[in-house]
């Protein structure tokens, strides 16, 4: 694991080059665009009896982390969360407001930030297998946050909460992360070649 951390540090230094850590216009536009992509894909949802809908959010979060890497990707998801928190209807089902972040589905939204961070670190690893493992670890953290918040809000046990709001979505979410790495990796390569990232 220390080798992975060392590799990540080296890759980060390379991506920054010798320039100071200033945010460029291109980076601001990229972060904003992917926040918008996440908002759009959040609306493609199928309601479920548990109240946690099936959406393309997990795919969008993985895609954002993979294409933009950890720094810009995390910033993009933070923008998305802040927009939703102030009332812009960017969350699933065209919902918005701080109440969404503290109700029974809010834990998953908080988990998106960690998931994007780990997917973004993962894409910078030389070994793809390590990158995917980091992405899946991010997914696990996201599901843990979602399950724990659901458990507290609904006053239920952890296992019961997991079986209701996490287990039914795991296979779909694992596939979403894998697709995020495949599609996002190709998109990132093309954008880098075109000088757009």
């Amino acid at each position: 694991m220390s080798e992975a951390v060392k590799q990540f540090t080296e890759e980060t230094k390379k991506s920054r080059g010798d320039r100071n850590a200033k945010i460029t216009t291109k980076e601001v536009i990229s972060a904003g665009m992917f926040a918008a992509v996440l908002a759009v894909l959040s609306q493609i949802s199928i309601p479920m009896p548990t109240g946690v809908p099936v959406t393309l959010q997990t795919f969008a979060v993985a895609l954002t982390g993979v294409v933009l890497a950890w720094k810009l990707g995390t910033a993009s998801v933070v923008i998305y969360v802040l927009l939703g928190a102030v009332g812009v209807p960017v969350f699933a089902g065209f919902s918005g407001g701080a109440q969404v972040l503290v109700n029974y589905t809010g834990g998953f939204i908080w988990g998106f930030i960690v998931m994007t961070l780990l997917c973004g670190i993962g894409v910078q690893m030389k070994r793809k297998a390590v990158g995917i493992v980091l992405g899946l670890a991010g997914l696990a953290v996201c599901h843990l946050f979602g399950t724990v918040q659901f458990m507290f809000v609904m006053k239920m046990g952890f296992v019961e909460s997991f079986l209701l709001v996490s287990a039914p979505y795991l296979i779909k979410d694992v596939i979403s992360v894998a697709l995020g790495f495949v599609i996002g990796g190709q998109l990132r390569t093309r954008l880098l070649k075109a000088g757009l990232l």
Side-chain angles (χ1 to χ4, degrees), residues 106-191:
F108 290 99
I109 298 172
W110 293 116
F112 290 160
I113 298 170
V114 179
M115 184 178 159
T116 309
L117 174 68
L118 291 178
C119 285
I121 293 172
V123 76
Q124 294 180 307
M125 297 289 111
K126 286 180 184 172
R127 288 170 24 180
K128 289 184 181 178
V130 175
I132 291 171
V133 167
L134 281 171
L136 292 175
L139 176 64
V141 171
C142 182
H143 273 254
L144 178 64
F145 281 21
T147 300
V148 169
Q149 186 158 320
F150 183 90
M151 175 183 77
F152 282 113
V153 172
M154 302 302 287
K155 296 180 172 55
M156 297 170 69
F158 180 82
V159 174
E160 189 179 2
S161 297
F162 171 78
L163 292 174
L164 276 173
V165 299
S166 179
Y169 306 90
L170 276 174
I171 293 174
K172 185 271 293 181
D173 284 352
V174 167
I175 293 169
S176 294
V177 170
L179 285 174
F181 268 87
V182 172
I183 296 170
Q186 293 174 357
L187 185 55
R188 177 175 171 79
T189 300
R190 290 177 185 176
L191 290 173

Side-chain angles (χ1 to χ4, degrees), residues 52-84:
V52 179
V54 173
T55 71
L56 292 179
Q57 283 176 309
T58 309
F59 168 72
V61 167
L63 186 74
T64 300
V66 171
V67 174
L68 299 182
W70 73 273
K71 182 173 139 185
L72 272 184
T74 305
S76 183
V77 175
V78 168
I79 290 168
Y80 166 78
V81 173
L82 289 174
L83 285 172

Side-chain angles (χ1 to χ4, degrees), residues 14-72:
K14 281 183 196 173
S15 69
R16 272 199 315 235
D18 293 330
R19 67 182 174 87
N20 293 329
K22 292 179 182 174
I23 298 174
T24 65
T25 304
K26 187 164 47 176
E27 289 172 333
V28 171
I29 291 170
S30 297
M33 279 179 54
F34 272 85
V37 167
L38 183 49
V40 170
L41 292 180
S42 295
Q43 307 318 319
I44 303 171
S45 65
I46 302 169
M48 296 290 282
T50 60
V52 179
V54 173
T55 71
L56 292 179
Q57 283 176 309
T58 309
F59 168 72
V61 167
L63 186 74
T64 300
V66 171
V67 174
L68 299 182
W70 73 273
K71 182 173 139 185
L72 272 184

